[in-house]
Tab-separated table of all heavy atoms in Angstrom:
chain	number	residue	atom	x	y	z
A	497	LYS	N	92.891	179.869	206.505
A	497	LYS	CA	93.083	180.996	205.587
A	497	LYS	C	93.155	180.543	204.134
A	497	LYS	O	92.730	181.268	203.217
A	497	LYS	CB	94.353	181.748	205.991
A	497	LYS	CG	94.648	182.987	205.163
A	497	LYS	CD	95.733	183.833	205.818
A	497	LYS	CE	97.029	183.072	205.994
A	497	LYS	NZ	98.091	183.890	206.624
A	498	ALA	N	93.686	179.337	203.920
A	498	ALA	CA	93.845	178.838	202.546
A	498	ALA	C	92.511	178.764	201.804
A	498	ALA	O	92.477	178.897	200.575
A	498	ALA	CB	94.506	177.459	202.561
A	499	VAL	N	91.408	178.541	202.534
A	499	VAL	CA	90.093	178.494	201.886
A	499	VAL	C	89.779	179.838	201.241
A	499	VAL	O	89.265	179.904	200.116
A	499	VAL	CB	89.001	178.102	202.903
A	499	VAL	CG1	87.608	178.211	202.278
A	499	VAL	CG2	89.232	176.690	203.418
A	500	PHE	N	90.103	180.930	201.937
A	500	PHE	CA	89.853	182.263	201.384
A	500	PHE	C	90.779	182.547	200.201
A	500	PHE	O	90.377	183.183	199.227
A	500	PHE	CB	90.030	183.320	202.476
A	500	PHE	CG	89.013	183.215	203.574
A	500	PHE	CD1	89.306	182.539	204.742
A	500	PHE	CD2	87.752	183.772	203.432
A	500	PHE	CE1	88.373	182.419	205.754
A	500	PHE	CE2	86.810	183.672	204.437
A	500	PHE	CZ	87.114	182.992	205.599
A	501	VAL	N	92.028	182.070	200.300
A	501	VAL	CA	92.962	182.219	199.172
A	501	VAL	C	92.404	181.523	197.933
A	501	VAL	O	92.385	182.083	196.835
A	501	VAL	CB	94.349	181.646	199.537
A	501	VAL	CG1	95.272	181.630	198.306
A	501	VAL	CG2	94.988	182.450	200.659
A	502	VAL	N	91.927	180.297	198.109
A	502	VAL	CA	91.375	179.527	196.994
A	502	VAL	C	90.182	180.247	196.371
A	502	VAL	O	90.106	180.416	195.143
A	502	VAL	CB	90.973	178.107	197.459
A	502	VAL	CG1	90.106	177.420	196.417
A	502	VAL	CG2	92.209	177.269	197.745
A	503	MET	N	89.246	180.684	197.194
A	503	MET	CA	88.036	181.306	196.654
A	503	MET	C	88.347	182.646	195.976
A	503	MET	O	87.774	182.973	194.933
A	503	MET	CB	86.995	181.483	197.750
A	503	MET	CG	86.495	180.172	198.358
A	503	MET	SD	86.112	178.858	197.140
A	503	MET	CE	84.775	179.618	196.238
A	504	ASP	N	89.256	183.430	196.555
A	504	ASP	CA	89.639	184.698	195.922
A	504	ASP	C	90.335	184.451	194.586
A	504	ASP	O	90.098	185.161	193.599
A	504	ASP	CB	90.562	185.499	196.848
A	504	ASP	CG	89.806	186.155	197.991
A	504	ASP	OD1	88.554	186.228	197.919
A	504	ASP	OD2	90.454	186.610	198.961
A	505	ALA	N	91.201	183.432	194.545
A	505	ALA	CA	91.898	183.110	193.290
A	505	ALA	C	90.905	182.658	192.227
A	505	ALA	O	90.999	183.059	191.058
A	505	ALA	CB	92.950	182.030	193.541
A	506	ILE	N	89.954	181.821	192.627
A	506	ILE	CA	88.950	181.332	191.669
A	506	ILE	C	88.092	182.479	191.152
A	506	ILE	O	87.787	182.554	189.954
A	506	ILE	CB	88.096	180.222	192.324
A	506	ILE	CG1	88.937	178.938	192.423
A	506	ILE	CG2	86.816	179.955	191.519
A	506	ILE	CD1	88.305	177.838	193.231
A	507	ASP	N	87.714	183.407	192.026
A	507	ASP	CA	86.954	184.595	191.582
A	507	ASP	C	87.764	185.399	190.563
A	507	ASP	O	87.216	185.871	189.557
A	507	ASP	CB	86.606	185.476	192.782
A	507	ASP	CG	85.446	184.921	193.594
A	507	ASP	OD1	84.734	184.028	193.084
A	507	ASP	OD2	85.256	185.380	194.741
A	508	ALA	N	89.064	185.566	190.831
A	508	ALA	CA	89.914	186.336	189.914
A	508	ALA	C	90.057	185.624	188.572
A	508	ALA	O	90.040	186.271	187.509
A	508	ALA	CB	91.290	186.550	190.556
A	509	ILE	N	90.220	184.295	188.606
A	509	ILE	CA	90.329	183.522	187.356
A	509	ILE	C	89.049	183.648	186.540
A	509	ILE	O	89.087	183.892	185.324
A	509	ILE	CB	90.623	182.032	187.672
A	509	ILE	CG1	92.007	181.886	188.305
A	509	ILE	CG2	90.533	181.179	186.406
A	509	ILE	CD1	92.226	180.547	188.983
A	510	TYR	N	87.910	183.514	187.201
A	510	TYR	CA	86.624	183.631	186.487
A	510	TYR	C	86.448	185.034	185.899
A	510	TYR	O	85.978	185.188	184.756
A	510	TYR	CB	85.477	183.303	187.434
A	510	TYR	CG	84.127	183.392	186.762
A	510	TYR	CD1	83.758	182.479	185.774
A	510	TYR	CD2	83.235	184.405	187.104
A	510	TYR	CE1	82.528	182.561	185.142
A	510	TYR	CE2	82.004	184.506	186.468
A	510	TYR	CZ	81.652	183.585	185.493
A	510	TYR	OH	80.441	183.684	184.862
A	511	HIS	N	86.851	186.033	186.655
A	511	HIS	CA	86.732	187.419	186.172
A	511	HIS	C	87.584	187.635	184.934
A	511	HIS	O	87.150	188.301	183.976
A	511	HIS	CB	87.156	188.382	187.281
A	511	HIS	CG	87.074	189.822	186.889
A	511	HIS	ND1	85.879	190.500	186.753
A	511	HIS	CD2	88.053	190.722	186.580
A	511	HIS	CE1	86.109	191.750	186.384
A	511	HIS	NE2	87.431	191.912	186.276
A	512	ARG	N	88.787	187.065	184.912
A	512	ARG	CA	89.711	187.277	183.789
A	512	ARG	C	89.443	186.340	182.614
A	512	ARG	O	89.734	186.679	181.473
A	512	ARG	CB	91.162	187.085	184.260
A	512	ARG	CG	91.637	188.139	185.240
A	512	ARG	CD	93.128	188.023	185.474
A	512	ARG	NE	93.902	188.440	184.304
A	512	ARG	CZ	95.219	188.323	184.204
A	512	ARG	NH1	95.910	187.772	185.191
A	512	ARG	NH2	95.843	188.725	183.128
A	513	TYR	N	88.909	185.153	182.899
A	513	TYR	CA	88.769	184.136	181.845
A	513	TYR	C	87.331	183.624	181.734
A	513	TYR	O	87.102	182.442	181.506
A	513	TYR	CB	89.715	182.958	182.132
A	513	TYR	CG	91.170	183.354	182.242
A	513	TYR	CD1	91.779	183.484	183.491
A	513	TYR	CD2	91.940	183.608	181.104
A	513	TYR	CE1	93.109	183.854	183.612
A	513	TYR	CE2	93.274	183.984	181.216
A	513	TYR	CZ	93.855	184.094	182.473
A	513	TYR	OH	95.172	184.469	182.573
A	514	ASN	N	86.353	184.534	181.878
A	514	ASN	CA	84.964	184.071	181.788
A	514	ASN	C	84.556	183.694	180.374
A	514	ASN	O	83.465	183.174	180.153
A	514	ASN	CB	83.986	185.097	182.388
A	514	ASN	CG	84.119	186.466	181.735
A	514	ASN	OD1	84.615	186.584	180.625
A	514	ASN	ND2	83.679	187.488	182.450
A	515	ASP	N	85.442	183.943	179.415
A	515	ASP	CA	85.191	183.438	178.061
A	515	ASP	C	85.607	181.964	177.943
A	515	ASP	O	85.213	181.280	176.995
A	515	ASP	CB	85.965	184.265	177.026
A	515	ASP	CG	87.461	184.308	177.291
A	515	ASP	OD1	87.853	184.218	178.484
A	515	ASP	OD2	88.245	184.429	176.336
A	516	VAL	N	86.376	181.482	178.935
A	516	VAL	CA	86.825	180.092	178.954
A	516	VAL	C	85.938	179.252	179.867
A	516	VAL	O	85.584	178.110	179.529
A	516	VAL	CB	88.298	180.000	179.432
A	516	VAL	CG1	88.738	178.537	179.540
A	516	VAL	CG2	89.209	180.784	178.495
A	517	TYR	N	85.575	179.798	181.009
A	517	TYR	CA	84.800	179.064	182.003
A	517	TYR	C	83.370	179.595	182.077
A	517	TYR	O	83.138	180.798	182.161
A	517	TYR	CB	85.447	179.181	183.383
A	517	TYR	CG	86.804	178.521	183.457
A	517	TYR	CD1	87.977	179.285	183.499
A	517	TYR	CD2	86.921	177.137	183.491
A	517	TYR	CE1	89.224	178.680	183.581
A	517	TYR	CE2	88.171	176.527	183.568
A	517	TYR	CZ	89.313	177.295	183.616
A	517	TYR	OH	90.548	176.697	183.685
A	518	ALA	N	82.423	178.666	182.069
A	518	ALA	CA	81.004	179.049	182.119
A	518	ALA	C	80.586	179.483	183.518
A	518	ALA	O	79.610	180.217	183.669
A	518	ALA	CB	80.136	177.877	181.657
A	519	SER	N	81.303	179.013	184.550
A	519	SER	CA	80.934	179.346	185.930
A	519	SER	C	82.129	179.139	186.843
A	519	SER	O	83.109	178.480	186.478
A	519	SER	CB	79.773	178.455	186.402
A	519	SER	OG	80.207	177.102	186.484
A	520	ARG	N	82.035	179.699	188.039
A	520	ARG	CA	83.059	179.465	189.054
A	520	ARG	C	83.107	177.980	189.432
A	520	ARG	O	84.180	177.438	189.722
A	520	ARG	CB	82.776	180.318	190.289
A	520	ARG	CG	83.032	181.816	190.076
A	520	ARG	CD	82.556	182.629	191.268
A	520	ARG	NE	82.897	184.034	191.129
A	520	ARG	CZ	82.208	184.898	190.398
A	520	ARG	NH1	81.128	184.486	189.739
A	520	ARG	NH2	82.578	186.164	190.328
A	521	GLU	N	81.927	177.347	189.448
A	521	GLU	CA	81.868	175.927	189.807
A	521	GLU	C	82.700	175.072	188.861
A	521	GLU	O	83.269	174.052	189.256
A	521	GLU	CB	80.418	175.444	189.817
A	521	GLU	CG	79.594	175.947	190.992
A	521	GLU	CD	79.325	177.444	190.953
A	521	GLU	OE1	79.269	178.013	189.837
A	521	GLU	OE2	79.179	178.047	192.031
A	522	GLU	N	82.784	175.466	187.609
A	522	GLU	CA	83.595	174.723	186.639
A	522	GLU	C	85.072	174.779	187.012
A	522	GLU	O	85.792	173.780	186.897
A	522	GLU	CB	83.375	175.296	185.237
A	522	GLU	CG	84.063	174.487	184.144
A	522	GLU	CD	83.843	175.073	182.752
A	522	GLU	OE1	82.950	175.939	182.592
A	522	GLU	OE2	84.573	174.672	181.816
A	523	ILE	N	85.520	175.938	187.474
A	523	ILE	CA	86.918	176.080	187.901
A	523	ILE	C	87.166	175.255	189.153
A	523	ILE	O	88.183	174.553	189.272
A	523	ILE	CB	87.265	177.560	188.159
A	523	ILE	CG1	86.933	178.421	186.950
A	523	ILE	CG2	88.753	177.699	188.519
A	523	ILE	CD1	87.010	179.916	187.211
A	524	ILE	N	86.229	175.324	190.109
A	524	ILE	CA	86.359	174.554	191.348
A	524	ILE	C	86.463	173.062	191.035
A	524	ILE	O	87.312	172.348	191.570
A	524	ILE	CB	85.157	174.829	192.283
A	524	ILE	CG1	85.194	176.272	192.779
A	524	ILE	CG2	85.169	173.863	193.475
A	524	ILE	CD1	83.938	176.712	193.511
A	525	SER	N	85.593	172.586	190.137
A	525	SER	CA	85.601	171.175	189.772
A	525	SER	C	86.936	170.771	189.149
A	525	SER	O	87.505	169.726	189.480
A	525	SER	CB	84.448	170.879	188.809
A	525	SER	OG	84.475	169.535	188.395
A	526	LYS	N	87.447	171.615	188.273
A	526	LYS	CA	88.717	171.309	187.608
A	526	LYS	C	89.875	171.317	188.603
A	526	LYS	O	90.804	170.499	188.512
A	526	LYS	CB	88.968	172.316	186.489
A	526	LYS	CG	89.983	171.864	185.465
A	526	LYS	CD	89.916	172.706	184.201
A	526	LYS	CE	90.848	172.142	183.136
A	526	LYS	NZ	90.775	172.910	181.868
A	527	SER	N	89.801	172.230	189.581
A	527	SER	CA	90.889	172.333	190.560
A	527	SER	C	90.885	171.168	191.546
A	527	SER	O	91.863	170.963	192.269
A	527	SER	CB	90.777	173.655	191.328
A	527	SER	OG	89.675	173.649	192.214
A	528	ASN	N	89.786	170.412	191.601
A	528	ASN	CA	89.674	169.274	192.510
A	528	ASN	C	89.679	167.928	191.794
A	528	ASN	O	89.369	166.900	192.407
A	528	ASN	CB	88.378	169.383	193.336
A	528	ASN	CG	88.528	170.334	194.504
A	528	ASN	OD1	89.591	170.413	195.091
A	528	ASN	ND2	87.475	171.060	194.825
A	529	ALA	N	90.031	167.905	190.518
A	529	ALA	CA	89.954	166.664	189.741
A	529	ALA	C	91.061	165.663	190.093
A	529	ALA	O	90.949	164.468	189.811
A	529	ALA	CB	89.993	166.970	188.246
A	530	LEU	N	92.154	166.138	190.697
A	530	LEU	CA	93.263	165.289	191.183
A	530	LEU	C	93.992	164.539	190.070
A	530	LEU	O	94.640	163.518	190.322
A	530	LEU	CB	92.754	164.265	192.225
A	530	LEU	CG	91.926	164.810	193.387
A	530	LEU	CD1	91.507	163.678	194.331
A	530	LEU	CD2	92.697	165.870	194.156
A	531	ASP	N	93.892	165.034	188.832
A	531	ASP	CA	94.463	164.300	187.700
A	531	ASP	C	95.545	165.071	186.952
A	531	ASP	O	95.945	164.678	185.859
A	531	ASP	CB	93.348	163.914	186.723
A	531	ASP	CG	92.592	165.127	186.175
A	531	ASP	OD1	92.908	166.282	186.575
A	531	ASP	OD2	91.676	164.931	185.347
A	532	ASP	N	96.048	166.159	187.536
A	532	ASP	CA	97.033	166.998	186.853
A	532	ASP	C	98.439	166.575	187.275
A	532	ASP	O	98.869	166.849	188.394
A	532	ASP	CB	96.770	168.472	187.189
A	532	ASP	CG	97.565	169.426	186.302
A	532	ASP	OD1	98.639	169.018	185.805
A	532	ASP	OD2	97.128	170.578	186.116
A	533	SER	N	99.153	165.909	186.381
A	533	SER	CA	100.501	165.410	186.719
A	533	SER	C	101.465	166.551	187.033
A	533	SER	O	102.423	166.375	187.801
A	533	SER	CB	101.045	164.556	185.576
A	533	SER	OG	101.134	165.315	184.376
A	534	LYS	N	101.230	167.736	186.450
A	534	LYS	CA	102.110	168.890	186.713
A	534	LYS	C	102.037	169.294	188.182
A	534	LYS	O	103.026	169.784	188.746
A	534	LYS	CB	101.713	170.077	185.831
A	534	LYS	CG	101.790	169.847	184.336
A	534	LYS	CD	101.636	171.142	183.555
A	534	LYS	CE	100.326	171.878	183.832
A	534	LYS	NZ	99.122	171.109	183.415
A	535	VAL	N	100.890	169.094	188.785
A	535	VAL	CA	100.712	169.449	190.194
A	535	VAL	C	101.586	168.556	191.075
A	535	VAL	O	102.313	169.041	191.957
A	535	VAL	CB	99.230	169.326	190.601
A	535	VAL	CG1	99.061	169.470	192.111
A	535	VAL	CG2	98.399	170.385	189.882
A	536	TYR	N	101.557	167.255	190.833
A	536	TYR	CA	102.363	166.327	191.646
A	536	TYR	C	103.853	166.563	191.428
A	536	TYR	O	104.653	166.467	192.366
A	536	TYR	CB	101.971	164.885	191.335
A	536	TYR	CG	100.518	164.606	191.642
A	536	TYR	CD1	99.627	164.212	190.645
A	536	TYR	CD2	100.027	164.761	192.935
A	536	TYR	CE1	98.288	163.978	190.922
A	536	TYR	CE2	98.691	164.533	193.224
A	536	TYR	CZ	97.824	164.136	192.213
A	536	TYR	OH	96.497	163.916	192.501
A	537	GLN	N	104.229	166.900	190.196
A	537	GLN	CA	105.636	167.185	189.919
A	537	GLN	C	106.089	168.436	190.659
A	537	GLN	O	107.218	168.501	191.161
A	537	GLN	CB	105.851	167.367	188.411
A	537	GLN	CG	107.318	167.496	188.009
A	537	GLN	CD	108.138	166.282	188.405
A	537	GLN	OE1	107.772	165.157	188.111
A	537	GLN	NE2	109.263	166.506	189.096
A	538	ALA	N	105.196	169.427	190.759
A	538	ALA	CA	105.537	170.662	191.475
A	538	ALA	C	105.776	170.385	192.957
A	538	ALA	O	106.669	170.988	193.573
A	538	ALA	CB	104.431	171.695	191.292
A	539	PHE	N	105.004	169.471	193.537
A	539	PHE	CA	105.260	169.066	194.928
A	539	PHE	C	106.644	168.447	195.039
A	539	PHE	O	107.441	168.811	195.910
A	539	PHE	CB	104.207	168.053	195.398
A	539	PHE	CG	102.943	168.667	195.923
A	539	PHE	CD1	101.784	168.656	195.161
A	539	PHE	CD2	102.906	169.253	197.181
A	539	PHE	CE1	100.607	169.203	195.644
A	539	PHE	CE2	101.740	169.812	197.676
A	539	PHE	CZ	100.578	169.790	196.907
A	540	THR	N	106.936	167.489	194.156
A	540	THR	CA	108.227	166.798	194.203
A	540	THR	C	109.381	167.770	194.000
A	540	THR	O	110.444	167.628	194.624
A	540	THR	CB	108.261	165.692	193.128
A	540	THR	OG1	107.222	164.744	193.390
A	540	THR	CG2	109.595	164.965	193.128
A	541	ASP	N	109.172	168.778	193.155
A	541	ASP	CA	110.217	169.770	192.878
A	541	ASP	C	110.412	170.752	194.025
A	541	ASP	O	111.342	171.574	193.986
A	541	ASP	CB	109.885	170.540	191.599
A	541	ASP	CG	109.965	169.673	190.355
A	541	ASP	OD1	110.575	168.581	190.423
A	541	ASP	OD2	109.409	170.072	189.304
């Protein structure tokens, strides 16, 4: 189910912020970059 959650969230982000992102693929790439320290801190928290 998480795959559908991810894709629906990415569609919503692109719809709201298409002035920031050129494509959905750009959001997907950024969400998979594995370099966001805030993400790891959120797990620890």
Side-chain angles (χ1 to χ4, degrees):
K497 183 167 59 180
V499 173
F500 295 96
V501 173
V502 166
M503 297 316 297
D504 284 345
I506 286 171
D507 283 345
I509 294 164
Y510 180 68
H511 180 73
R512 293 190 71 186
Y513 302 102
N514 56 21
D515 56 330
V516 176
Y517 295 106
S519 66
R520 289 172 175 80
E521 287 68 29
E522 186 180 346
I523 306 170
I524 293 170
S525 177
K526 199 164 186 178
S527 71
N528 280 325
L530 309 180
D531 59 358
D532 192 334
S533 60
K534 300 191 302 296
V535 171
Y536 299 119
Q537 187 59 51
F539 275 105
T540 299
D541 292 343

